Amino acid sequence: GLGLTGAAASDALEAAGLTANKNGVPGDTQPPTITSGLRFGSSAGTARGFRETHFDRIGHMIADVLEDLGSSTARTAHIRQEVAEMCRDYPIYP
């Protein structure tokens, strides 16, 4: 609904410290280097011990970044800091 490409969304999320891969979707009209979709994984979060509440927060962060794409670097910087804190608080190898 936001009219974003997978590439633009992936780049914006990466700037906020959130990893997603641009991904083609059935009937995609975008070329493979751009795509119309995104793919998210949860294994890195579960390896850290994230629970449902953490993933709920991550979902809100993703939505905030994509809604603000191109308009608010301050919000992206705040989210990047929050992601870093979550990763610090839940290290992969404690």
mmCIF file of all heavy atoms in Angstrom, residues 11-69:
data_model
loop_
_atom_site.group_PDB
_atom_site.id
_atom_site.type_symbol
_atom_site.label_atom_id
_atom_site.label_comp_id
_atom_site.label_asym_id
_atom_site.label_seq_id
_atom_site.Cartn_x
_atom_site.Cartn_y
_atom_site.Cartn_z
ATOM 1 N N ASP A 11 16.788 -1.463 1.803
ATOM 2 C CA ASP A 11 17.831 -0.480 2.108
ATOM 3 C C ASP A 11 17.454 0.372 3.322
ATOM 4 O O ASP A 11 18.291 0.648 4.184
ATOM 5 C CB ASP A 11 18.091 0.425 0.903
ATOM 6 C CG ASP A 11 18.786 -0.288 -0.242
ATOM 7 O OD1 ASP A 11 19.301 -1.417 -0.044
ATOM 8 O OD2 ASP A 11 18.803 0.279 -1.356
ATOM 9 N N ALA A 12 16.196 0.801 3.403
ATOM 10 C CA ALA A 12 15.753 1.624 4.528
ATOM 11 C C ALA A 12 15.814 0.843 5.838
ATOM 12 O O ALA A 12 16.251 1.365 6.865
ATOM 13 C CB ALA A 12 14.330 2.127 4.283
ATOM 14 N N LEU A 13 15.409 -0.411 5.805
ATOM 15 C CA LEU A 13 15.457 -1.241 7.010
ATOM 16 C C LEU A 13 16.899 -1.493 7.437
ATOM 17 O O LEU A 13 17.209 -1.470 8.632
ATOM 18 C CB LEU A 13 14.710 -2.555 6.778
ATOM 19 C CG LEU A 13 13.196 -2.411 6.639
ATOM 20 C CD1 LEU A 13 12.585 -3.684 6.086
ATOM 21 C CD2 LEU A 13 12.572 -2.030 7.963
ATOM 22 N N GLU A 14 17.776 -1.721 6.484
ATOM 23 C CA GLU A 14 19.196 -1.936 6.803
ATOM 24 C C GLU A 14 19.778 -0.704 7.499
ATOM 25 O O GLU A 14 20.552 -0.831 8.448
ATOM 26 C CB GLU A 14 19.980 -2.242 5.524
ATOM 27 C CG GLU A 14 21.424 -2.586 5.755
ATOM 28 C CD GLU A 14 21.622 -3.940 6.433
ATOM 29 O OE1 GLU A 14 20.807 -4.843 6.236
ATOM 30 O OE2 GLU A 14 22.615 -4.077 7.177
ATOM 31 N N ALA A 15 19.394 0.489 7.050
ATOM 32 C CA ALA A 15 19.870 1.724 7.681
ATOM 33 C C ALA A 15 19.407 1.825 9.137
ATOM 34 O O ALA A 15 20.049 2.484 9.951
ATOM 35 C CB ALA A 15 19.383 2.938 6.894
ATOM 36 N N ALA A 16 18.305 1.154 9.450
ATOM 37 C CA ALA A 16 17.786 1.159 10.822
ATOM 38 C C ALA A 16 18.287 -0.034 11.633
ATOM 39 O O ALA A 16 17.877 -0.225 12.770
ATOM 40 C CB ALA A 16 16.257 1.159 10.796
ATOM 41 N N GLY A 17 19.157 -0.862 11.047
ATOM 42 C CA GLY A 17 19.701 -2.008 11.763
ATOM 43 C C GLY A 17 18.843 -3.259 11.679
ATOM 44 O O GLY A 17 19.074 -4.217 12.397
ATOM 45 N N LEU A 18 17.856 -3.245 10.804
ATOM 46 C CA LEU A 18 16.948 -4.382 10.623
ATOM 47 C C LEU A 18 17.238 -5.040 9.276
ATOM 48 O O LEU A 18 17.268 -4.358 8.258
ATOM 49 C CB LEU A 18 15.491 -3.909 10.668
ATOM 50 C CG LEU A 18 15.060 -3.265 11.982
ATOM 51 C CD1 LEU A 18 13.787 -2.453 11.791
ATOM 52 C CD2 LEU A 18 14.868 -4.335 13.036
ATOM 53 N N THR A 19 17.429 -6.333 9.280
ATOM 54 C CA THR A 19 17.798 -7.029 8.059
ATOM 55 C C THR A 19 16.581 -7.668 7.408
ATOM 56 O O THR A 19 15.816 -8.377 8.066
ATOM 57 C CB THR A 19 18.848 -8.122 8.346
ATOM 58 O OG1 THR A 19 19.981 -7.494 8.955
ATOM 59 C CG2 THR A 19 19.285 -8.815 7.087
ATOM 60 N N ALA A 20 16.425 -7.402 6.125
ATOM 61 C CA ALA A 20 15.389 -8.031 5.302
ATOM 62 C C ALA A 20 15.975 -8.176 3.906
ATOM 63 O O ALA A 20 16.861 -7.419 3.512
ATOM 64 C CB ALA A 20 14.130 -7.180 5.259
ATOM 65 N N ASN A 21 15.481 -9.133 3.169
ATOM 66 C CA ASN A 21 15.939 -9.337 1.808
ATOM 67 C C ASN A 21 14.839 -8.952 0.840
ATOM 68 O O ASN A 21 13.687 -9.337 1.031
ATOM 69 C CB ASN A 21 16.292 -10.812 1.562
ATOM 70 C CG ASN A 21 17.373 -11.289 2.479
ATOM 71 O OD1 ASN A 21 17.076 -11.747 3.575
ATOM 72 N ND2 ASN A 21 18.608 -11.185 2.060
ATOM 73 N N LYS A 22 15.211 -8.210 -0.202
ATOM 74 C CA LYS A 22 14.231 -7.977 -1.255
ATOM 75 C C LYS A 22 13.931 -9.329 -1.884
ATOM 76 O O LYS A 22 14.795 -10.192 -1.963
ATOM 77 C CB LYS A 22 14.757 -6.970 -2.270
ATOM 78 C CG LYS A 22 15.999 -7.406 -3.016
ATOM 79 C CD LYS A 22 16.475 -6.298 -3.947
ATOM 80 C CE LYS A 22 17.656 -6.762 -4.752
ATOM 81 N NZ LYS A 22 18.928 -6.376 -4.207
ATOM 82 N N ASN A 23 12.683 -9.518 -2.258
ATOM 83 C CA ASN A 23 12.269 -10.839 -2.715
ATOM 84 C C ASN A 23 11.156 -10.693 -3.740
ATOM 85 O O ASN A 23 10.242 -9.891 -3.549
ATOM 86 C CB ASN A 23 11.769 -11.651 -1.516
ATOM 87 C CG ASN A 23 11.828 -13.132 -1.739
ATOM 88 O OD1 ASN A 23 12.896 -13.662 -2.011
ATOM 89 N ND2 ASN A 23 10.704 -13.800 -1.625
ATOM 90 N N GLY A 24 11.259 -11.441 -4.796
ATOM 91 C CA GLY A 24 10.201 -11.432 -5.789
ATOM 92 C C GLY A 24 8.936 -12.075 -5.242
ATOM 93 O O GLY A 24 8.979 -12.885 -4.321
ATOM 94 N N VAL A 25 7.818 -11.678 -5.795
ATOM 95 C CA VAL A 25 6.525 -12.245 -5.421
ATOM 96 C C VAL A 25 5.857 -12.762 -6.695
ATOM 97 O O VAL A 25 6.213 -12.355 -7.799
ATOM 98 C CB VAL A 25 5.634 -11.195 -4.716
ATOM 99 C CG1 VAL A 25 6.247 -10.750 -3.403
ATOM 100 C CG2 VAL A 25 5.391 -9.987 -5.611
ATOM 101 N N PRO A 26 4.907 -13.681 -6.573
ATOM 102 C CA PRO A 26 4.223 -14.183 -7.770
ATOM 103 C C PRO A 26 3.645 -13.043 -8.608
ATOM 104 O O PRO A 26 3.018 -12.124 -8.082
ATOM 105 C CB PRO A 26 3.109 -15.059 -7.203
ATOM 106 C CG PRO A 26 3.623 -15.498 -5.866
ATOM 107 C CD PRO A 26 4.407 -14.316 -5.353
ATOM 108 N N GLY A 27 3.917 -13.076 -9.899
ATOM 109 C CA GLY A 27 3.434 -12.039 -10.805
ATOM 110 C C GLY A 27 4.164 -10.717 -10.675
ATOM 111 O O GLY A 27 3.673 -9.680 -11.124
ATOM 112 N N ASP A 28 5.338 -10.729 -10.071
ATOM 113 C CA ASP A 28 6.108 -9.501 -9.827
ATOM 114 C C ASP A 28 6.370 -8.762 -11.135
ATOM 115 O O ASP A 28 6.832 -9.337 -12.108
ATOM 116 C CB ASP A 28 7.434 -9.857 -9.161
ATOM 117 C CG ASP A 28 8.016 -8.723 -8.343
ATOM 118 O OD1 ASP A 28 7.658 -7.555 -8.591
ATOM 119 O OD2 ASP A 28 8.827 -8.999 -7.442
ATOM 120 N N THR A 29 6.086 -7.481 -11.141
ATOM 121 C CA THR A 29 6.333 -6.655 -12.324
ATOM 122 C C THR A 29 7.691 -5.963 -12.261
ATOM 123 O O THR A 29 8.122 -5.368 -13.243
ATOM 124 C CB THR A 29 5.232 -5.586 -12.476
ATOM 125 O OG1 THR A 29 5.200 -4.778 -11.294
ATOM 126 C CG2 THR A 29 3.875 -6.238 -12.695
ATOM 127 N N GLN A 30 8.349 -6.032 -11.125
ATOM 128 C CA GLN A 30 9.670 -5.425 -10.958
ATOM 129 C C GLN A 30 10.750 -6.414 -11.391
ATOM 130 O O GLN A 30 10.579 -7.626 -11.256
ATOM 131 C CB GLN A 30 9.903 -5.036 -9.494
ATOM 132 C CG GLN A 30 8.978 -3.976 -8.969
ATOM 133 C CD GLN A 30 9.259 -2.611 -9.557
ATOM 134 O OE1 GLN A 30 10.328 -2.323 -10.086
ATOM 135 N NE2 GLN A 30 8.266 -1.750 -9.484
ATOM 136 N N PRO A 31 11.886 -5.904 -11.869
ATOM 137 C CA PRO A 31 12.989 -6.807 -12.212
ATOM 138 C C PRO A 31 13.578 -7.453 -10.953
ATOM 139 O O PRO A 31 13.399 -6.933 -9.841
ATOM 140 C CB PRO A 31 14.011 -5.893 -12.893
ATOM 141 C CG PRO A 31 13.663 -4.505 -12.477
ATOM 142 C CD PRO A 31 12.192 -4.507 -12.160
ATOM 143 N N PRO A 32 14.292 -8.573 -11.099
ATOM 144 C CA PRO A 32 14.852 -9.276 -9.936
ATOM 145 C C PRO A 32 15.791 -8.437 -9.075
ATOM 146 O O PRO A 32 15.967 -8.726 -7.898
ATOM 147 C CB PRO A 32 15.594 -10.454 -10.555
ATOM 148 C CG PRO A 32 14.973 -10.645 -11.894
ATOM 149 C CD PRO A 32 14.524 -9.283 -12.342
ATOM 150 N N THR A 33 16.396 -7.414 -9.634
ATOM 151 C CA THR A 33 17.292 -6.558 -8.846
ATOM 152 C C THR A 33 16.536 -5.531 -8.010
ATOM 153 O O THR A 33 17.118 -4.883 -7.151
ATOM 154 C CB THR A 33 18.278 -5.813 -9.760
ATOM 155 O OG1 THR A 33 17.530 -5.069 -10.733
ATOM 156 C CG2 THR A 33 19.214 -6.788 -10.464
ATOM 157 N N ILE A 34 15.241 -5.385 -8.259
ATOM 158 C CA ILE A 34 14.410 -4.415 -7.531
ATOM 159 C C ILE A 34 13.375 -5.143 -6.671
ATOM 160 O O ILE A 34 13.302 -4.932 -5.475
ATOM 161 C CB ILE A 34 13.694 -3.437 -8.496
ATOM 162 C CG1 ILE A 34 14.696 -2.724 -9.393
ATOM 163 C CG2 ILE A 34 12.824 -2.459 -7.723
ATOM 164 C CD1 ILE A 34 15.638 -1.776 -8.680
ATOM 165 N N THR A 35 12.569 -5.959 -7.232
ATOM 166 C CA THR A 35 11.488 -6.755 -6.639
ATOM 167 C C THR A 35 10.364 -5.912 -6.034
ATOM 168 O O THR A 35 10.508 -4.707 -5.829
ATOM 169 C CB THR A 35 11.973 -7.753 -5.565
ATOM 170 O OG1 THR A 35 12.266 -7.078 -4.355
ATOM 171 C CG2 THR A 35 13.136 -8.582 -6.047
ATOM 172 N N SER A 36 9.287 -6.587 -5.739
ATOM 173 C CA SER A 36 8.139 -5.942 -5.102
ATOM 174 C C SER A 36 7.935 -6.406 -3.663
ATOM 175 O O SER A 36 7.088 -5.876 -2.964
ATOM 176 C CB SER A 36 6.859 -6.255 -5.889
ATOM 177 O OG SER A 36 6.924 -5.697 -7.174
ATOM 178 N N GLY A 37 8.698 -7.392 -3.223
ATOM 179 C CA GLY A 37 8.470 -7.959 -1.906
ATOM 180 C C GLY A 37 9.689 -7.956 -1.009
ATOM 181 O O GLY A 37 10.794 -7.596 -1.428
ATOM 182 N N LEU A 38 9.465 -8.386 0.216
ATOM 183 C CA LEU A 38 10.517 -8.522 1.223
ATOM 184 C C LEU A 38 10.407 -9.895 1.858
ATOM 185 O O LEU A 38 9.328 -10.472 1.926
ATOM 186 C CB LEU A 38 10.351 -7.483 2.342
ATOM 187 C CG LEU A 38 10.680 -6.050 2.033
ATOM 188 C CD1 LEU A 38 10.279 -5.167 3.212
ATOM 189 C CD2 LEU A 38 12.146 -5.880 1.740
ATOM 190 N N ARG A 39 11.530 -10.381 2.350
ATOM 191 C CA ARG A 39 11.547 -11.637 3.098
ATOM 192 C C ARG A 39 12.222 -11.374 4.429
ATOM 193 O O ARG A 39 13.297 -10.792 4.503
ATOM 194 C CB ARG A 39 12.315 -12.715 2.330
ATOM 195 C CG ARG A 39 12.326 -14.061 3.037
ATOM 196 C CD ARG A 39 12.981 -15.127 2.166
ATOM 197 N NE ARG A 39 14.360 -14.826 1.837
ATOM 198 C CZ ARG A 39 15.417 -15.145 2.583
ATOM 199 N NH1 ARG A 39 15.246 -15.777 3.728
ATOM 200 N NH2 ARG A 39 16.630 -14.846 2.190
ATOM 201 N N PHE A 40 11.567 -11.800 5.491
ATOM 202 C CA PHE A 40 12.099 -11.656 6.843
ATOM 203 C C PHE A 40 12.357 -13.038 7.419
ATOM 204 O O PHE A 40 11.630 -13.977 7.127
ATOM 205 C CB PHE A 40 11.096 -10.945 7.766
ATOM 206 C CG PHE A 40 10.782 -9.541 7.355
ATOM 207 C CD1 PHE A 40 9.680 -9.264 6.569
ATOM 208 C CD2 PHE A 40 11.598 -8.503 7.746
ATOM 209 C CE1 PHE A 40 9.389 -7.980 6.182
ATOM 210 C CE2 PHE A 40 11.319 -7.202 7.366
ATOM 211 C CZ PHE A 40 10.208 -6.941 6.579
ATOM 212 N N GLY A 41 13.366 -13.143 8.253
ATOM 213 C CA GLY A 41 13.640 -14.383 8.965
ATOM 214 C C GLY A 41 13.569 -14.134 10.460
ATOM 215 O O GLY A 41 13.730 -13.004 10.918
ATOM 216 N N SER A 42 13.338 -15.175 11.202
ATOM 217 C CA SER A 42 13.244 -15.009 12.653
ATOM 218 C C SER A 42 14.327 -15.773 13.406
ATOM 219 O O SER A 42 14.441 -15.636 14.622
ATOM 220 C CB SER A 42 11.869 -15.463 13.144
ATOM 221 O OG SER A 42 11.665 -16.823 12.835
ATOM 222 N N SER A 43 15.149 -16.549 12.706
ATOM 223 C CA SER A 43 16.117 -17.397 13.404
ATOM 224 C C SER A 43 17.155 -16.602 14.198
ATOM 225 O O SER A 43 17.548 -17.038 15.286
ATOM 226 C CB SER A 43 16.796 -18.360 12.432
ATOM 227 O OG SER A 43 17.473 -17.644 11.423
ATOM 228 N N ALA A 44 17.589 -15.451 13.698
ATOM 229 C CA ALA A 44 18.561 -14.653 14.451
ATOM 230 C C ALA A 44 17.956 -14.158 15.765
ATOM 231 O O ALA A 44 18.623 -14.128 16.798
ATOM 232 C CB ALA A 44 19.050 -13.474 13.620
ATOM 233 N N GLY A 45 16.695 -13.784 15.736
ATOM 234 C CA GLY A 45 16.023 -13.332 16.957
ATOM 235 C C GLY A 45 15.774 -14.462 17.935
ATOM 236 O O GLY A 45 15.972 -14.306 19.141
ATOM 237 N N THR A 46 15.351 -15.616 17.428
ATOM 238 C CA THR A 46 15.116 -16.732 18.338
ATOM 239 C C THR A 46 16.428 -17.232 18.931
ATOM 240 O O THR A 46 16.459 -17.652 20.087
ATOM 241 C CB THR A 46 14.363 -17.890 17.643
ATOM 242 O OG1 THR A 46 15.093 -18.311 16.493
ATOM 243 C CG2 THR A 46 12.966 -17.464 17.242
ATOM 244 N N ALA A 47 17.527 -17.163 18.170
ATOM 245 C CA ALA A 47 18.839 -17.555 18.703
ATOM 246 C C ALA A 47 19.254 -16.631 19.849
ATOM 247 O O ALA A 47 19.973 -17.043 20.756
ATOM 248 C CB ALA A 47 19.899 -17.526 17.598
ATOM 249 N N ARG A 48 18.790 -15.402 19.810
ATOM 250 C CA ARG A 48 19.097 -14.444 20.880
ATOM 251 C C ARG A 48 18.165 -14.601 22.079
ATOM 252 O O ARG A 48 18.391 -14.027 23.123
ATOM 253 C CB ARG A 48 18.982 -13.013 20.348
ATOM 254 C CG ARG A 48 20.063 -12.649 19.367
ATOM 255 C CD ARG A 48 19.874 -11.208 18.892
ATOM 256 N NE ARG A 48 20.954 -10.818 18.017
ATOM 257 C CZ ARG A 48 22.141 -10.419 18.426
ATOM 258 N NH1 ARG A 48 22.402 -10.344 19.709
ATOM 259 N NH2 ARG A 48 23.075 -10.093 17.557
ATOM 260 N N GLY A 49 17.092 -15.336 21.907
ATOM 261 C CA GLY A 49 16.146 -15.502 22.998
ATOM 262 C C GLY A 49 14.979 -14.539 22.956
ATOM 263 O O GLY A 49 14.265 -14.376 23.947
ATOM 264 N N PHE A 50 14.770 -13.880 21.819
ATOM 265 C CA PHE A 50 13.623 -12.979 21.700
ATOM 266 C C PHE A 50 12.337 -13.765 21.873
ATOM 267 O O PHE A 50 12.212 -14.905 21.447
ATOM 268 C CB PHE A 50 13.604 -12.295 20.333
ATOM 269 C CG PHE A 50 14.669 -11.254 20.109
ATOM 270 C CD1 PHE A 50 14.787 -10.639 18.879
ATOM 271 C CD2 PHE A 50 15.555 -10.887 21.106
ATOM 272 C CE1 PHE A 50 15.754 -9.680 18.648
ATOM 273 C CE2 PHE A 50 16.535 -9.921 20.886
ATOM 274 C CZ PHE A 50 16.623 -9.320 19.649
ATOM 275 N N ARG A 51 11.374 -13.129 22.493
ATOM 276 C CA ARG A 51 10.053 -13.696 22.723
ATOM 277 C C ARG A 51 9.025 -12.945 21.872
ATOM 278 O O ARG A 51 9.350 -12.016 21.143
ATOM 279 C CB ARG A 51 9.686 -13.590 24.212
ATOM 280 C CG ARG A 51 10.632 -14.314 25.125
ATOM 281 C CD ARG A 51 10.405 -15.792 24.996
ATOM 282 N NE ARG A 51 11.198 -16.513 25.993
ATOM 283 C CZ ARG A 51 11.673 -17.701 25.791
ATOM 284 N NH1 ARG A 51 11.445 -18.324 24.658
ATOM 285 N NH2 ARG A 51 12.373 -18.304 26.720
ATOM 286 N N GLU A 52 7.787 -13.332 22.029
ATOM 287 C CA GLU A 52 6.711 -12.733 21.239
ATOM 288 C C GLU A 52 6.695 -11.213 21.368
ATOM 289 O O GLU A 52 6.497 -10.501 20.382
ATOM 290 C CB GLU A 52 5.373 -13.317 21.677
ATOM 291 C CG GLU A 52 4.205 -12.844 20.848
ATOM 292 C CD GLU A 52 2.906 -13.489 21.250
ATOM 293 O OE1 GLU A 52 2.908 -14.548 21.906
ATOM 294 O OE2 GLU A 52 1.854 -12.919 20.890
ATOM 295 N N THR A 53 6.907 -10.692 22.558
ATOM 296 C CA THR A 53 6.877 -9.237 22.755
ATOM 297 C C THR A 53 7.990 -8.545 21.971
ATOM 298 O O THR A 53 7.790 -7.440 21.462
ATOM 299 C CB THR A 53 6.999 -8.867 24.248
ATOM 300 O OG1 THR A 53 8.188 -9.434 24.784
ATOM 301 C CG2 THR A 53 5.791 -9.347 25.025
ATOM 302 N N HIS A 54 9.160 -9.200 21.875
ATOM 303 C CA HIS A 54 10.265 -8.626 21.103
ATOM 304 C C HIS A 54 9.908 -8.569 19.618
ATOM 305 O O HIS A 54 10.145 -7.562 18.946
ATOM 306 C CB HIS A 54 11.551 -9.439 21.289
ATOM 307 C CG HIS A 54 12.025 -9.471 22.694
ATOM 308 N ND1 HIS A 54 11.825 -10.557 23.510
ATOM 309 C CD2 HIS A 54 12.679 -8.555 23.441
ATOM 310 C CE1 HIS A 54 12.338 -10.307 24.706
ATOM 311 N NE2 HIS A 54 12.866 -9.090 24.684
ATOM 312 N N PHE A 55 9.342 -9.674 19.112
ATOM 313 C CA PHE A 55 8.979 -9.706 17.699
ATOM 314 C C PHE A 55 7.842 -8.736 17.394
ATOM 315 O O PHE A 55 7.796 -8.155 16.308
ATOM 316 C CB PHE A 55 8.641 -11.132 17.251
ATOM 317 C CG PHE A 55 9.859 -11.999 17.116
ATOM 318 C CD1 PHE A 55 10.127 -12.990 18.044
ATOM 319 C CD2 PHE A 55 10.749 -11.817 16.066
ATOM 320 C CE1 PHE A 55 11.260 -13.786 17.929
ATOM 321 C CE2 PHE A 55 11.876 -12.602 15.942
ATOM 322 C CZ PHE A 55 12.141 -13.591 16.872
ATOM 323 N N ASP A 56 6.954 -8.532 18.344
ATOM 324 C CA ASP A 56 5.902 -7.536 18.179
ATOM 325 C C ASP A 56 6.529 -6.151 18.033
ATOM 326 O O ASP A 56 6.153 -5.384 17.148
ATOM 327 C CB ASP A 56 4.947 -7.575 19.378
ATOM 328 C CG ASP A 56 3.791 -6.610 19.222
ATOM 329 O OD1 ASP A 56 3.011 -6.772 18.259
ATOM 330 O OD2 ASP A 56 3.659 -5.712 20.074
ATOM 331 N N ARG A 57 7.507 -5.853 18.881
ATOM 332 C CA ARG A 57 8.193 -4.556 18.809
ATOM 333 C C ARG A 57 8.938 -4.420 17.481
ATOM 334 O O ARG A 57 8.916 -3.359 16.856
ATOM 335 C CB ARG A 57 9.167 -4.399 19.990
ATOM 336 C CG ARG A 57 9.918 -3.098 19.976
ATOM 337 C CD ARG A 57 8.966 -1.885 20.087
ATOM 338 N NE ARG A 57 9.667 -0.675 19.718
ATOM 339 C CZ ARG A 57 9.219 0.208 18.831
ATOM 340 N NH1 ARG A 57 8.052 0.064 18.247
ATOM 341 N NH2 ARG A 57 9.931 1.259 18.539
ATOM 342 N N ILE A 58 9.602 -5.487 17.037
ATOM 343 C CA ILE A 58 10.318 -5.449 15.762
ATOM 344 C C ILE A 58 9.342 -5.166 14.620
ATOM 345 O O ILE A 58 9.639 -4.378 13.715
ATOM 346 C CB ILE A 58 11.089 -6.765 15.541
ATOM 347 C CG1 ILE A 58 12.252 -6.853 16.532
ATOM 348 C CG2 ILE A 58 11.593 -6.866 14.105
ATOM 349 C CD1 ILE A 58 12.904 -8.228 16.620
ATOM 350 N N GLY A 59 8.167 -5.785 14.668
ATOM 351 C CA GLY A 59 7.158 -5.514 13.640
ATOM 352 C C GLY A 59 6.757 -4.050 13.599
ATOM 353 O O GLY A 59 6.616 -3.465 12.515
ATOM 354 N N HIS A 60 6.616 -3.443 14.769
ATOM 355 C CA HIS A 60 6.289 -2.016 14.816
ATOM 356 C C HIS A 60 7.444 -1.165 14.287
ATOM 357 O O HIS A 60 7.215 -0.165 13.603
ATOM 358 C CB HIS A 60 5.913 -1.595 16.239
ATOM 359 C CG HIS A 60 4.549 -2.057 16.641
ATOM 360 N ND1 HIS A 60 3.387 -1.450 16.221
ATOM 361 C CD2 HIS A 60 4.161 -3.101 17.404
ATOM 362 C CE1 HIS A 60 2.349 -2.075 16.715
ATOM 363 N NE2 HIS A 60 2.794 -3.099 17.440
ATOM 364 N N MET A 61 8.676 -1.569 14.597
ATOM 365 C CA MET A 61 9.826 -0.831 14.079
ATOM 366 C C MET A 61 9.861 -0.902 12.556
ATOM 367 O O MET A 61 10.125 0.104 11.886
ATOM 368 C CB MET A 61 11.131 -1.389 14.660
ATOM 369 C CG MET A 61 11.363 -1.032 16.102
ATOM 370 S SD MET A 61 13.026 -1.512 16.646
ATOM 371 C CE MET A 61 12.682 -3.047 17.469
ATOM 372 N N ILE A 62 9.613 -2.091 12.002
ATOM 373 C CA ILE A 62 9.592 -2.255 10.543
ATOM 374 C C ILE A 62 8.548 -1.330 9.937
ATOM 375 O O ILE A 62 8.823 -0.597 8.976
ATOM 376 C CB ILE A 62 9.316 -3.727 10.170
ATOM 377 C CG1 ILE A 62 10.520 -4.597 10.534
ATOM 378 C CG2 ILE A 62 8.978 -3.860 8.685
ATOM 379 C CD1 ILE A 62 10.243 -6.091 10.493
ATOM 380 N N ALA A 63 7.345 -1.335 10.493
ATOM 381 C CA ALA A 63 6.279 -0.470 9.981
ATOM 382 C C ALA A 63 6.664 1.005 10.068
ATOM 383 O O ALA A 63 6.442 1.762 9.120
ATOM 384 C CB ALA A 63 4.983 -0.727 10.744
ATOM 385 N N ASP A 64 7.261 1.416 11.185
ATOM 386 C CA ASP A 64 7.671 2.817 11.346
ATOM 387 C C ASP A 64 8.696 3.219 10.292
ATOM 388 O O ASP A 64 8.595 4.290 9.693
ATOM 389 C CB ASP A 64 8.249 3.051 12.743
ATOM 390 C CG ASP A 64 7.202 2.993 13.845
ATOM 391 O OD1 ASP A 64 5.985 3.023 13.535
ATOM 392 O OD2 ASP A 64 7.602 2.897 15.023
ATOM 393 N N VAL A 65 9.691 2.369 10.066
ATOM 394 C CA VAL A 65 10.726 2.688 9.071
ATOM 395 C C VAL A 65 10.109 2.807 7.688
ATOM 396 O O VAL A 65 10.387 3.755 6.951
ATOM 397 C CB VAL A 65 11.847 1.621 9.080
ATOM 398 C CG1 VAL A 65 12.767 1.778 7.882
ATOM 399 C CG2 VAL A 65 12.640 1.696 10.372
ATOM 400 N N LEU A 66 9.268 1.859 7.323
ATOM 401 C CA LEU A 66 8.689 1.873 5.974
ATOM 402 C C LEU A 66 7.712 3.029 5.791
ATOM 403 O O LEU A 66 7.670 3.635 4.717
ATOM 404 C CB LEU A 66 8.021 0.536 5.672
ATOM 405 C CG LEU A 66 8.972 -0.665 5.643
ATOM 406 C CD1 LEU A 66 8.214 -1.934 5.284
ATOM 407 C CD2 LEU A 66 10.147 -0.443 4.707
ATOM 408 N N GLU A 67 6.953 3.379 6.820
ATOM 409 C CA GLU A 67 6.041 4.519 6.723
ATOM 410 C C GLU A 67 6.802 5.835 6.596
ATOM 411 O O GLU A 67 6.323 6.770 5.959
ATOM 412 C CB GLU A 67 5.115 4.569 7.931
ATOM 413 C CG GLU A 67 4.061 3.482 7.907
ATOM 414 C CD GLU A 67 3.271 3.386 9.200
ATOM 415 O OE1 GLU A 67 3.565 4.130 10.165
ATOM 416 O OE2 GLU A 67 2.365 2.538 9.252
ATOM 417 N N ASP A 68 7.983 5.917 7.194
ATOM 418 C CA ASP A 68 8.779 7.147 7.177
ATOM 419 C C ASP A 68 9.826 7.174 6.067
ATOM 420 O O ASP A 68 10.641 8.092 6.030
ATOM 421 C CB ASP A 68 9.513 7.327 8.509
ATOM 422 C CG ASP A 68 8.587 7.722 9.634
ATOM 423 O OD1 ASP A 68 7.398 7.990 9.378
ATOM 424 O OD2 ASP A 68 9.046 7.758 10.784
ATOM 425 N N LEU A 69 9.823 6.189 5.202
ATOM 426 C CA LEU A 69 10.879 6.066 4.193
ATOM 427 C C LEU A 69 11.123 7.389 3.469
ATOM 428 O O LEU A 69 10.221 7.968 2.882
ATOM 429 C CB LEU A 69 10.506 4.989 3.176
ATOM 430 C CG LEU A 69 11.581 4.646 2.162
ATOM 431 C CD1 LEU A 69 12.805 4.069 2.860
ATOM 432 C CD2 LEU A 69 11.064 3.655 1.154
#
